[in-house]
Amino acid sequence: MEHASFIIGSYVVTFGSIALYVVWFLRRSRSTARFADEKDKPWT
Amino acid sequence: MSATSTPTGTRATRALGFATLALTVWLIAFGLFVSAEDVVQGSTVRIMYVHVPSIWVAYVAFVLTAVVSAVYLSGKNRSLAWDRVAGASAEIGVLFVAISLITGSLWGRLTWGTYWVWDARLTSTAFLFITYIGYLAVRGLGGTFRQRARRSAVLALLAVLEIPLVHFSVVIWRSLHQESTVANSGTDVELDGLMLFTLFLGIVTFTMLFVWMVLHRQRGLALQDAVDAHGLDVAIEQRRQEAEVR
């Protein structure tokens, strides 16, 4: 594949940044949930 | 709830998450290896399979932010759930605009020979990115939840007006950036079937990913608001007890 570093780099940037963001907000939710009551989670 | 499960997840979000993950693997395989190279762009076209869906999701995110903000402002029952969906959606939109700018810049280096030009489309997209960074900053200002919801809803309704400007910038001004290829009936460019399929696969995958992220993030924001409100109640009660002691 020509220009492989640019092409693979664009996929790494895309899925890497999405993965980092997802991990960040899931960890944050998990730590916040420890201080929340069950009634604050109506979706469960 | 097990130690590894997420507090914002449900059976539905887990099913959506697994489906999205499967489509993501499929998209990467098709985008990098299966789809054909373009006659003009060569292998560079593979960047389009993540670049175009990224800006699509950003548009969807900012339009959703505006719609739920309008619902919040117009509704008789001003539920803060609308505000949290707006906040989650805008945050995710900012991420996808950033991805679109970076992947577009990498594509531009290969196609135009430069990472950046002050072209109408690129400049207006950068301006859109900065506007929504500002929106998130405004959400982070102090005040009550209602004050946050009202001021950010007004800002969301103003900021969304930039989207037509960004989208039609290539028509309004002379632009280095190409016009729409798929959604433009006036063009004589024909996409290969597999390339078109991969592009739509990217759009479907990213849209499902967006829905999954918004569901989780707005629940995370709801938990944060609940904990903050509880913290405020505790602080008020402590002050009241201190005043009674004096």
Side-chain angles (χ1 to χ4, degrees):
Chain A
M1 189 195 306
E2 208 181 353
H3 309 302
S5 59
F6 277 78
I7 294 161
I8 293 169
S10 66
Y11 279 66
V12 169
V13 165
T14 301
F15 294 107
S17 54
I18 291 169
L20 281 176
Y21 174 67
V22 166
V23 168
W24 172 76
F25 75 64
L26 289 181
R27 284 173 65 103
R28 195 180 159 98
S29 297
R30 196 169 291 167
S31 61
T32 309
R34 284 204 291 266
F35 304 101
D37 297 330
E38 280 304 308
K39 67 175 174 55
D40 297 324
K41 304 171 201 168
W43 53 85
T44 54
Chain B
M1 193 173 69
S2 72
T4 53
S5 68
T6 161
T8 52
T10 59
R11 191 175 290 176
T13 56
R14 274 190 285 279
L16 179 63
F18 282 122
T20 307
L21 197 60
L23 285 182
T24 303
V25 173
W26 201 14
L27 171 65
I28 292 170
F30 269 68
L32 287 180
F33 308 110
V34 179
S35 71
E37 294 193 353
D38 185 68
V39 177
V40 180
Q41 297 183 42
S43 58
T44 312
V45 74
R46 299 187 189 284
I47 297 176
M48 289 297 112
Y49 304 131
V50 287
H51 173 72
V52 175
S54 299
I55 197 66
W56 158 258
V57 165
Y59 284 173
V60 169
F62 296 148
V63 169
L64 178 65
T65 302
V67 169
V68 292
S69 296
V71 170
Y72 175 79
L73 287 176
S74 63
K76 287 178 183 171
N77 176 19
R78 291 190 167 185
S79 169
L80 285 170
W82 298 118
D83 171 62
R84 289 190 285 264
V85 172
S89 186
E91 199 174 277
I92 295 162
V94 165
L95 172 73
F96 279 95
V97 174
I99 290 170
S100 177
L101 285 169
I102 295 168
T103 54
S105 172
L106 291 170
W107 180 86
R109 178 69 182 85
L110 297 174
T111 309
W112 302 332
T114 179
Y115 287 105
W116 186 264
V117 282
W118 291 103
D119 165 85
R121 170 60 69 83
L122 276 69
T123 307
S124 58
T125 308
F127 189 62
L128 184 73
F129 175 69
I130 293 165
T131 301
Y132 278 90
I133 291 279
Y135 170 87
L136 294 178
V138 166
R139 288 188 67 84
L141 294 174
T144 64
F145 297 147
R146 298 269 167 211
Q147 287 170 335
R148 177 193 71 191
R150 195 166 51 245
R151 68 176 174 239
S152 54
V154 171
L155 187 55
L157 291 175
L158 293 172
V160 77
L161 299 175
E162 278 182 47
I163 289 181
L165 191 71
V166 174
H167 189 70
F168 294 109
S169 59
V170 288
V171 180
I172 299 168
W173 294 287
R174 288 182 62 191
S175 177
L176 189 59
H177 194 286
Q178 69 197 63
E179 291 185 26
S180 300
T181 307
V182 179
N184 186 358
S185 56
T187 178
D188 57 352
V189 176
E190 280 190 27
L191 276 179
D192 168 73
L194 202 54
M195 290 166 75
L196 195 60
F197 172 78
T198 311
L199 192 60
F200 277 111
L201 178 64
I203 286 172
V204 169
T205 305
F206 276 46
T207 305
M208 286 170 64
L209 183 61
F210 167 71
V211 172
W212 182 86
M213 290 166 86
V214 167
L215 285 171
H216 275 283
R217 186 67 183 124
Q218 61 93 16
R219 286 170 185 165
L221 291 175
L223 287 174
Q224 187 65 55
D225 280 359
V227 169
D228 288 349
H230 180 65
L232 191 64
D233 289 344
V234 170
I236 290 169
E237 186 57 34
Q238 281 176 346
R239 289 284 165 84
R240 194 170 287 156
Q241 286 173 358
E242 284 169 11
E244 284 171 4
V245 169
R246 284 175 198 162

